[in-house]
Amino acid sequence: MYKVPFVDIPRHYQKIKEEILNTISDVIARGDLILRKDVEDFEKSMASFVGTKYAVGLNSGTYTMFLALKALGIGPGDEVITVSHTFVASIAVIVQSGATPVLIDVKEDFTMDANELEKAITQKTKAIIPVHMNGRMCEMDKIMEIAKKHNLIVIEDAAQSLGAKYKGKMAGSFGLVGSFSLYPFKVLGCLGDGGVMVTDSDELAEKIRLLRDHGQKTKTEIVCFGWNSRLDNVQAAVLNVKFKYLKEYIERRREIASIYTQGLKSVKGVNIPPAPGSDSDHFDIFQNYVLRAERRNELVSFLKEKGVETLIKDPVPNHWQKGLGLSGFKLPITERLADEIVSLPIYPELDEEQIQYAISCVKEFYSK
Ligand SMILES: Cc1ncc(COP(=O)(O)O)c(C=O)c1O
């Protein structure tokens, strides 16, 4: 038992238990299990929140990007540029579509280095997948400008960044497609797997709706081959309950990040993420609070002994994972970050005492 667990789903659940159970019971009593009103309601809320014309509920953030690539006809012979410093799904979808991933480096804030982008573009490049890591958006103005110049499609991997903004505009609303994960630990998570794509394109929204449901336009008309990758109606109903609290969840994450900043800013040995509000271009939602730490592995062991659970998400960069066959890339910042990064617990239910305790443990480690 950790004093400060890395995530705390039971505590989260306790706060909304009654509402969730009532909703699930209502959905089952109605018999509304697949693609019913709750999915439509969720899609409307999402589109309106992000500021796009459409949202389409899917079974995961992975399939959101995969179906987008399929719908856009990207496949063998094409190249898609993304980063290595991401959850492997951002790269996997490119490989699974049949296209070739081209990986570029990130900046010190863990987001795609737009200055590296143009160098990676070839005759074969069809799309860019910028990844808004940890709740912080990429420099989308620069990325969109380059994409426009070279006529490339942009699919934003916003799995970790629902509600984040860049220069006042929401994650997911810059590219042709925005992709979100609704995995339980995300800022808006359901009770299992889920994802949602957003777009302004009538054609693409319609195509993704078909692809998520085996190409069935109606019960009797099948217009193309597709997949089964629908968002469950019961998950959508749960998400509709949690949507009411989304802004609150984001505010609390930003509040916790401010407390971490206050506590850790003068600690020698750790590099902390930019504080909320410290730069007017970025509105970060702190899906993760990632430190760059000296003696990182020792710190993690020390915190574990003290009862503070941390996570090192990518100790080996994706392009160095032996099974993936991506070893041709040289990405100095990504490679260095893999040795430095560690995530501290951050979620709305963390209480003041836990946050201060985590801070005091980090301080104690670096005072030795
Ligand atoms: C950056 C990123 N992209 C894609 C995904 C995939 O989302 P899902 O797990 O819903 O398939 C994740 C999930 O953690 C992610 O963090």
Side-chain angles (χ1 to χ4, degrees), residues 102-122:
V102 174
L103 306 179
I104 62 172
D105 219 343
V106 288
K107 298 179 289 146
E108 300 289 337
D109 72 350
F110 313 117
T111 65
M112 179 178 266
D113 186 347
N115 296 325
E116 294 294 311
L117 190 52
E118 213 148 17
K119 295 182 220 160
I121 295 172
T122 71

Side-chain angles (χ1 to χ4, degrees), residues 143-155:
I143 292 173
M144 293 307 294
E145 200 182 306
I146 296 169
K148 202 167 160 203
K149 183 171 155 198
H150 296 270
N151 200 19
L152 303 175
I153 290 163
V154 174
I155 298 172

Side-chain angles (χ1 to χ4, degrees), residues 59-63 65 86-87 89-90 131-133 157 159-160 180-183 186 193-195:
N59 64 352
S60 64
T62 302
Y63 262 72
M65 292 187 284
T86 178
F87 180 54
S90 328
V131 184
H132 305 316
M133 275 305 270
D157 183 349
Q160 301 188 2
F180 297 95
S181 168
L182 305 166
Y183 181 80
K186 297 294 192 234
D193 279 307

Side-chain angles (χ1 to χ4, degrees), residues 336-363:
R336 175 167 50 75
L337 290 177
D339 289 333
E340 295 177 354
I341 51 172
V342 53
S343 302
L344 294 183
I346 190 161
Y347 43 92
E349 296 74 26
L350 268 185
D351 61 38
E352 201 62 34
E353 210 175 304
Q354 288 175 304
I355 306 164
Q356 293 301 346
Y357 180 71
I359 291 170
S360 69
C361 293
V362 175
K363 278 182 158 166

Side-chain angles (χ1 to χ4, degrees), residues 219-275:
K219 285 222 164 59
T220 51
E221 192 189 357
I222 298 165
V223 296
C224 60
F225 285 113
W227 286 263
N228 175 355
S229 48
R230 305 169 297 236
L231 175 67
D232 284 339
N233 200 66
V234 70
Q235 297 293 358
V238 167
L239 289 161
N240 289 334
V241 169
K242 291 177 69 171
F243 216 101
K244 291 184 289 188
Y245 304 110
L246 177 57
K247 285 190 178 148
E248 211 176 285
Y249 293 156
I250 290 171
E251 262 327 294
R252 179 66 185 146
R253 281 176 182 274
R254 285 170 57 81
E255 217 171 82
I256 297 170
S258 294
I259 303 172
Y260 274 142
T261 306
Q262 241 358 77
L264 297 174
K265 67 182 179 198
S266 50
V267 177
K268 283 209 169 60
V270 284
N271 233 305
I272 57 172

